[in-house]
Amino acid sequence: MQWGIFTVGDVTRDPTTGRTPSEAERIQDTVTIARKVEEVGLDVFATGEHHNPPFVPSSPTTLLGHIAALTERIILSTSTTLITTNDPVKIAEDFSVLQHLSAGRTDVMLGRGNTGPVYPWFGQDIRQALPLSVEHYGLLRRLWREEVVDWEGKLRSPLQGFTLAPRPLDGVPPFVWHASIRTPEVAELAAYYGDGFFANHIFWPSSHTQKMVELYRRRFAHYGHGTPTEAIVGLGGQVFMRRNSQDAVDEFRPYFDNAPVYGHGPSLEEFTSMTPLTVGSPAQVIEKTLGFRDYVGDYQRQLFLIDHAGLPLKTVLEQLDLLGEEVVPVLRKEFAIGRPAGVPAAPTHQSLLRARAASEAATPDATPTEGLTKQ
């Protein structure tokens, strides 16, 4: 399994001090957090994409390209790239460049985006969100896999004789995750292409996440990509830790109560009982995270949200120390116990290269493009 962090990049007032960081400070802090992810031995850093205040990550590949130059090992991903309002040609170009800059340490998580005003800013209509997702992704796949693309759709101008530059690193596109909190059509899209499905899992009860993942696994098998247990699943989660659980609750409560995404709603206790949010000791985080496997099965990627709601950088870095030193090593060991041999590892650039080589060896007359798997 891969373990990591995702950020939504909010600029939020610290309710305990009244201080609000500047946009420049928040961006630089995000870079510091990404470097810390590598330092403590985690695997993935992912950033969201937002184009409205109070968020700063409006250009994820710019941020990730900078982080690529400062790191050596971690996978650099998005926790949403907007497949609806971004043009697929630009997505293809940006992530191909990022692949080359990072020596393949790149994948992408695609999502629709649920902020209505953003759509007209980019010339789109939120009522077309699902058709845009399907059409744009169909084109994106072709751009990464075909040398010359002739294409015509309904929601974008046609392409004639278009060749992507640069081509994907080693001729292998970045692995794609399709992310959703509540939309079964996104799970269907991921299953159809044999891509990964990332259930964001941070606001909804486990029963909802279970149904979404079960749908994806079932349809993955239906489309002939393998058994349901071979489907590629990722989960989001939220944690706040102190070695003493009551200290964690007391410290996090004002941040929870005033958070832009869930403040002034259910109590902290209600929210932690209904959702994956864990506020407590490292042992409690381990126990609750291990429980995710009970309702989604063995999966490939777990990302935690830890840097939102105005939490100061010092506190976030302390959270990363706890994750790296006390939590993730135990989770790696425990998740490996009883993991069936047929469950695939989390995809990487190297594993996709091996899969292509194996496919070409099995069908020696295939062209390089034909030898690519749907992943």
Side-chain angles (χ1 to χ4, degrees):
M1 282 185 66
Q2 293 171 346
W3 300 89
I5 299 301
F6 74 100
T7 180
V8 295
D10 60 312
V11 180
T12 303
R13 173 182 173 272
D14 185 330
T16 68
T17 65
R19 184 178 182 277
T20 302
S22 67
E23 292 178 324
E25 182 181 356
R26 186 68 172 98
I27 292 169
Q28 291 298 331
D29 286 353
T30 303
V31 174
T32 300
I33 291 166
R35 298 181 74 177
K36 185 73 169 181
V37 167
E38 177 155 291
E39 177 188 321
V40 301
L42 303 187
D43 308 307
V44 182
F45 174 81
T47 176
E49 177 186 346
H50 297 277
H51 298 276
N52 53 296
F55 303 99
V56 291
S58 57
S59 182
T61 52
T62 303
L63 175 65
L64 294 176
H66 178 65
I67 294 170
L70 300 173
T71 57
E72 297 180 353
R73 185 185 54 78
I74 55 172
I75 294 171
L76 304 171
S77 185
T78 49
S79 50
T80 301
T81 291
L82 300 177
I83 189 63
T84 47
T85 52
N86 282 304
D87 188 83
V89 172
K90 188 60 175 165
I91 295 176
E93 291 174 338
D94 285 351
F95 280 89
S96 286
V97 170
L98 184 58
Q99 266 195 318
H100 286 272
L101 287 173
S102 66
R105 295 184 291 122
T106 298
D107 58 34
V108 58
M109 189 184 299
L110 301 175
R112 295 183 302 142
N114 57 10
T115 307
V118 172
Y119 280 73
W121 295 346
F122 292 89
Q124 301 294 353
D125 183 342
I126 194 172
R127 294 171 295 184
Q128 294 294 315
L130 282 170
L132 281 165
S133 298
V134 173
E135 182 172 294
H136 279 187
Y137 184 56
L139 174 56
L140 177 62
R141 286 183 61 86
R142 291 187 58 188
L143 293 169
W144 273 333
R145 287 165 170 80
E146 299 177 21
E147 194 71 32
V148 180
V149 175
D150 295 306
W151 177 91
E152 185 170 353
K154 297 180 180 179
L155 301 170
R156 186 201 184 280
S157 58
L159 293 176
Q160 293 183 342
F162 181 84
T163 296
L164 179 70
R167 302 297 298 159
L169 179 66
D170 300 319
V172 175
F175 184 77
V176 172
W177 302 83
H178 299 264
S180 179
I181 297 176
R182 63 185 181 277
T183 308
E185 290 88 348
V186 173
E188 179 76 14
L189 185 65
Y192 177 79
Y193 286 110
D195 296 329
F197 177 62
F198 189 88
N200 206 343
H201 193 220
I202 60 174
F203 299 123
W204 289 65
S206 58
S207 58
H208 172 79
T209 299
Q210 180 178 7
K211 290 177 182 177
M212 292 284 283
V213 172
E214 285 179 348
L215 170 65
Y216 162 68
R217 290 187 184 278
R218 185 170 65 251
R219 300 299 287 173
F220 180 95
H222 168 81
Y223 289 116
H225 301 296
T227 66
T229 58
E230 293 175 307
I232 307 297
V233 174
L235 295 182
Q238 296 166 277
V239 297
F240 186 85
M241 293 174 287
R242 291 301 183 199
R243 287 190 168 83
N244 180 285
S245 59
Q246 190 57 52
D247 289 343
V249 171
D250 292 342
E251 184 175 348
F252 189 66
R253 189 180 300 280
Y255 295 97
F256 176 89
D257 289 345
N258 294 278
V261 291
Y262 44 48
H264 312 289
S267 69
L268 176 58
E269 287 74 15
E270 291 170 330
F271 203 83
T272 53
S273 69
M274 294 185 296
T275 76
L277 173 65
T278 311
V279 180
S281 67
Q284 288 172 309
V285 170
I286 291 168
E287 180 182 9
K288 191 161 185 177
T289 305
L290 286 172
F292 296 169
R293 184 165 56 175
D294 294 340
Y295 53 88
V296 303
D298 289 282
Y299 60 110
Q300 282 71 28
R301 176 176 285 185
Q302 176 67 57
L303 301 182
F304 295 111
L305 176 64
I306 62 170
D307 72 327
H308 65 125
L311 287 163
L313 177 62
K314 178 178 180 293
T315 301
V316 174
L317 298 181
E318 291 166 351
Q319 298 297 299
L320 279 167
D321 281 330
L322 288 169
L323 279 172
E325 294 169 7
E326 301 189 26
V327 173
V328 169
V330 176
L331 289 172
R332 289 191 196 277
K333 180 178 179 181
E334 292 296 324
F335 270 93
I337 296 172
R339 192 176 180 91
V343 175
T348 64
H349 185 70
Q350 290 71 29
S351 73
L352 296 179
L353 281 172
R354 290 193 296 269
R356 183 181 68 177
S359 177
E360 290 175 352
T363 54
D365 294 332
T367 65
T369 298
E370 291 169 339
L372 285 170
T373 66
K374 283 197 172 182
Q375 290 184 350

